[in-house]
Amino acid sequence: MNSLEQRAKAFATQVHQNANQLRKYTNAPYIVHPAAVAELVRSVPHSPEMIAAAWLHDTVEDTQVTLDDIAQRFGTVVCRLCRNAD
């Protein structure tokens, strides 16, 4: 089974790609931003749920994914962290 982080990274990558999102100014795939946030969170004391939420933090705002989807796939802790990221 994949780790929580691996599942969150794969899910975020797919939903941002499906939404045809690109970064402003660079036109890089949008996932470069959540990747940078995940690395920033990794640089301080963190939990697996915090890293997963870093990967997922823009999915509700920028895609058709809901907080209920996040809770069902990744648990209530990750969902709460994503909700607080707004």
Side-chain angles (χ1 to χ4, degrees):
M1 179 181 205
N2 289 336
S3 72
L4 180 63
E5 178 181 356
Q6 290 169 327
R7 291 187 301 114
K9 177 182 177 182
F11 183 77
T13 300
Q14 188 63 55
V15 298
H16 285 293
Q17 185 177 33
N18 289 351
N20 296 314
Q21 286 186 295
L22 300 174
R23 292 293 296 159
K24 290 180 186 175
Y25 312 116
T26 65
N27 288 328
Y30 188 82
I31 200 65
V32 299
H33 168 65
V37 174
E39 288 307 309
L40 181 63
V41 172
R42 194 184 317 282
S43 74
V44 298
H46 62 275
S47 67
E49 292 83 3
M50 291 168 70
I51 298 292
W55 281 105
L56 297 165
H57 78 277
D58 281 338
T59 58
V60 172
E61 178 182 342
D62 296 340
T63 72
Q64 298 298 313
V65 174
T66 67
L67 286 171
D68 286 340
D69 295 331
I70 298 293
Q72 288 176 15
R73 290 175 179 267
F74 302 101
T76 57
V77 172
V78 174
C79 179
R80 187 180 74 243
L81 291 168
C82 287
R83 182 181 305 127
N84 292 336
D86 291 338

